[in-house]
Amino acid sequence: MTAETAAEEQSLNINRREFLNFAWLVSLGFLTMSFGGVTYLFSLPRFKEGEFGGIFTVGEVADLPQAGSAPANVPKVKLWLSNTENGLVALYKVCTHLGCLYNWSDQVTHFVCPCHGSEFQPDGTYIRGPAPRSLDRFVLRLETPDGQVLAETDATTGEPVQIPDNPDAIIRIDTGQRILGERHA
Amino acid sequence: MTRLQLEIALGTILVVVSTIILILFGFSENRRMTRFEEAQQAHAIEVGAGLFETHCSGCHGLKGEGIEGLCPPLNDRPFFTDRLEEVGWTGPLEDYIIATVSGGRLTSTRPEHYAGQGKPAMPAWSEDLGGPLRRDQIRNLAAFIMNWEATALEQVVLEELPTPTPSPEELDDPVARGRLVFLDMGCGACHAIDGVSTGAVGPNLNQISEVAATRVEGMTAEEYIRESILMPNAHIVEGFPENVMPLNFDERLSQEQLDDVVTFLLAQQ
Amino acid sequence: MIKSLNFQDLRQKAMEAIDNRVRIITAGLGLQELRALMRGDPPTERPNPRYKVHTTSFLFHIRPRYYQRASTIFAHTFHLGFFTAFFFFVETFTGLILMVYYVPSPEGAYASILELMSNVPYGQMLRDMHRLGAEAMVIFSALHMLRTYLTGSYKGDRTFTWLTGVGLLGITLFLSFSGYLLPWDQLAYWAVTIGTSMAEAAPMVGNELNLLLRGAPDIGAGGLLRFYLGHVILLPLAAILLISVHYYKVAREHSISLPARFEEGNVSKDEEKDAKQRIDIIPDLLTHEIFLTVLGIFFLVIATAYFYHAPLETHANPQQTPLDTKAPWYFWWLQGMLKLGDKTLMGIIIPTIIVGLLVAVPYIDRNPHRSFFKRPIAVSLGILGVLVLVVLSYMGTPEYGIATPAATRILQDLAPEEGTGPLRAIPYDQLQQGVYEVNVTEADNLCPGLDFGCPELEAVFAEYGERVNEAMEDGRLPDAQAVLLIEEWQAGLKKITPRIVWSDPDTGETKTYERHIFLHQNRVGE
């Protein structure tokens, strides 16, 4: 480049080739982003909420453990059915900290997670430990054999459900409706 | 010698030593692999033992002795010598065990002796068929059950532990004795009591002492319980079928055992 | 025509042809030159054909022609970078071989590892080498980074190399982590569940990130396959790319640094000249490197033949988390942080900041000096960082901060859910059938009927009693009664039941805790 063209460069108008190159680069950029999107959508799994995510029939009221005693384990659906003093609650077995399955300890009569030591009350309330919130619950429904709903968990508060007097009442858990445990202070 | 020459010399020695070690190692590989397989088989039996205790002992008995009227024994001579021919299975016994555990039994093959737990007589245990066990777990169970062959064919005789019940104090308590009768006689296989058993064939007995008092006009709880054990068909709870509960407890239980188990049940409230 | 060819001519022509072939294969070194190399003689031709190799050969173009003497001083680099690369090659090689047998599905993975160890000659050795090599690679890459930091070898031209190095450290850690899942045993499954749960804690993208990693909300077949592919293809490709860039810059741009005293210190002219003297890669440094390689292989063979065996716990059980689950040791610092607080802060934000700081080290550090003594702040920060890492790592172990109920702790230590433990290590013959009650049965001479007695059983029973009494004394297990029950269960199988009964300190009700342990006589504590 000569001195004159160097000075002229600042006021050079965009020529056709430059414009075309620029357009090309931009479109290649878009193509790359599209490929990125394609790869992302390809890799993100879709899963049928068939098994987990559906409604499970767990049994009858007559099969429940006594109020205040150790909860019933429902391994297939990863949940604890805890019959507390205030009613029945279905707790998601996955600890709210990092995903380990917590256990019931008969020795201290509450839940203890083996991974980092978080502890929870029989109704899922956080006691201590690194978990950020209380245990998650599922919506629980108590129905008569013909389908009449006798009691159901409030989907917003997740409060324990009072068990009706009917020992034949069927317990159904809706694993698609998970109520997240509250964050503690 | 310069450092480099030293390194070349040392390097040569190390290569020779490494090669020799690898070759010698190779000679012992066969033995190691056999040992490993034996250890794996041992581990399979151990895991199988735990699984059997958790899932099967309630019906087939803690030591595989079975319960008359309910589930067949798995630890006796006929199981290892006659069973396959009886059912017409042409493959090995271990495969038969795996197939039965995996698929369960819709109806019993010997309904007069071992009726099973209703419908189905034995549930399907395999994960593939809706059960809780993985394939490797079922194989471990089979390994454990097969391990009864030695004692079943009396090739090995086990010493009996002098005191089967661990804590001497428990034996003085009739409720504790009754609990043992409840478990040993197989009641737990069909009737659930919190913290004792998980049977789901017959009615739950959690609050039986209260329920028993109100079942039949004029019968006390104790009378009702005694009658239920000795003559099960006298009063069938609604929703449960007749003729499932064994009818021969009057022969199988001694008076003391009967009294103890009644005391135990009367303590359930 | 044929008559005029004498033997001499033929021989000469043959030698020329062979020499030509050799030159082609070796990128320029003739037979005579090769002999000179073996003898340690100077080059036989001009220009030096050994240097030409570095431009003509593809494999050798990444190596420099020479290093300066002082940069090869052992106490300067400890050859850490070399060994990191060495272990990468070990991992690649052993990994490729192991791929012949490994099956990346939940149904097949564990069984394929058992098959490898029980039915493949050298199967266990290769698996052990792969595991040991992985741990070594993590250690060496971390030490290499520490050395580079302490000698200030990230400044000036070396800034970009440092950046690729940080990237390589990350890739090494992820390679190790992704490989960790593959055996599909309890250790693998739960360690990786915890690790990927941290991905879920990432703000905004957490859920998608978790799904991308695991292929499903929980780790299953999808997760295993993704981790496997990451482990054998994606991460190795990224590693090879970054290693190439990293080493190419070292070899061709700025070389390995000299100890700072030669660049900044007061050294005589002679010393400086000596420090900068060139040592050729071909043949001298190459010989040295081959020696180091042989040394490394020797240690791997000895270690895996006699001392080190990769662990394998029981088959992964997604329904049950074992007690004392812990992350791999190089992540204990992270597990320690997680015990301190919120998982998004401790698991995502702070680690990201740490990585950011590491990357930014060359830019934050405005001090042009490399000498140890002229960089007190940088050096102290480095040492502080290492100490913090060690303390956090201790906090990450299960012993710290997890309150296991007393009876559970005693029995877990006696007979852990995973692993051997003192009870399972007792030789089978010493397990005499009987009821052994703590504080009732005398702990010595438990087996008068056995020829050699049962010392191990007595030792374990004594320890069991001590632990129970301790807990009784400090009030954790009031009125404790403990028993050890040993029964013959099947031919060659014994059932051991340790049981502790006590009164709850608060309610006074009787509580009991027991475990059922089955031991077979052929079992071997791995």
Side-chain angles (χ1 to χ4, degrees), chain B residues 3-4 7-8 10-11 14-15 17-18 21-23 25-26 29 32-33 35-40 42-43 45-46 49-50 53 62-63 134 136 144 147-148 150-151 156 158-161 163 166 168-169, chain C residues 107 114 117-125 284 287-288 291 294-295 298 301-302 305-306 314-317 433-435 437 481 485-491 493 495 499 516 518-520 522-524 526:
Chain B
R3 198 185 86 169
L4 218 49
E7 285 186 358
I8 296 173
L10 194 57
L14 289 177
V15 170
V17 172
S18 300
I21 291 178
L22 280 176
I23 293 175
F25 194 81
E29 270 297 86
R32 180 196 65 81
M33 291 196 286
R35 249 336 252 108
F36 188 86
E37 261 194 275
E38 283 174 12
Q40 273 314 113
H43 186 67
I45 295 177
E46 290 172 0
E53 193 176 65
L62 208 55
K63 291 200 170 173
R134 298 185 309 262
D136 64 288
F144 170 73
N147 199 36
W148 265 313
T151 40
V156 171
L158 295 182
E159 241 182 85
E160 278 299 316
L161 191 67
T163 33
E169 297 107 71
Chain C
E107 294 80 35
L114 291 181
M117 304 221 278
S118 68
N119 211 19
V120 176
Y122 297 101
Q124 185 181 61
M125 180 184 245
D284 296 333
T287 310
H288 181 63
F291 169 70
V294 164
L295 199 63
F298 177 73
V301 169
I302 297 273
Y306 301 116
T314 50
H315 195 288
N317 184 353
Q433 199 172 212
V435 183
E437 289 180 67
Q481 288 172 306
L485 183 58
I486 300 179
E487 304 169 78
E488 285 204 353
W489 205 244
Q490 274 183 341
L493 187 73
K495 176 179 176 185
R499 175 185 297 135
H516 296 171
F518 293 95
L519 285 188
H520 192 277
N522 283 341
R523 120 185 281 280
V524 155
E526 299 270 24

Side-chain angles (χ1 to χ4, degrees), chain A residues 40 43 97-98 101 107 115, chain C residues 197 208 226 321 343 402 408:
Chain A
Y40 173 74
S43 314
H97 182 221
L98 283 179
L101 300 182
Q107 293 171 52
C115 289
Chain C
S197 291
E208 277 73 36
R226 284 166 193 242
T321 313
K343 70 182 176 186
I402 297 187
T408 313

Side-chain angles (χ1 to χ4, degrees), chain C residues 71-88 136-151 172 246-247 256 288 292:
Chain C
S71 65
T72 66
I73 294 176
F74 177 73
H76 176 50
T77 63
F78 301 98
H79 300 316
L80 292 168
F82 175 82
F83 277 113
T84 310
F86 166 74
F87 281 112
F88 180 73
M137 189 173 163
V138 170
I139 294 175
F140 275 96
S141 57
L143 287 176
H144 175 61
M145 170 181 253
L146 184 62
R147 191 285 293 167
T148 311
Y149 178 83
L150 289 176
T151 58
T172 306
H246 187 83
Y247 187 68
I256 300 178
H288 181 63
L292 291 177

Side-chain angles (χ1 to χ4, degrees), chain A residues 89-104:
Chain A
V89 67
L91 297 167
Y92 187 31
K93 224 176 171 191
V94 172
C95 180
T96 50
H97 182 221
L98 283 179
C100 292
L101 300 182
Y102 57 86
N103 302 313
W104 172 263

Side-chain angles (χ1 to χ4, degrees), chain C residues 141-174:
Chain C
S141 57
L143 287 176
H144 175 61
M145 170 181 253
L146 184 62
R147 191 285 293 167
T148 311
Y149 178 83
L150 289 176
T151 58
S153 307
Y154 51 80
K155 305 192 190 224
D157 282 344
R158 301 193 168 93
T159 311
F160 190 65
T161 316
W162 170 267
L163 182 66
T164 54
V166 175
L168 281 169
L169 182 70
I171 291 183
T172 306
L173 289 174
F174 281 119

Side-chain angles (χ1 to χ4, degrees), chain B residues 80-97:
Chain B
F80 286 94
T81 51
D82 303 331
R83 184 63 182 156
L84 290 185
E85 204 178 322
E86 212 175 69
V87 287
W89 184 269
T90 50
L93 179 61
E94 192 160 1
D95 286 350
Y96 173 69
I97 297 173

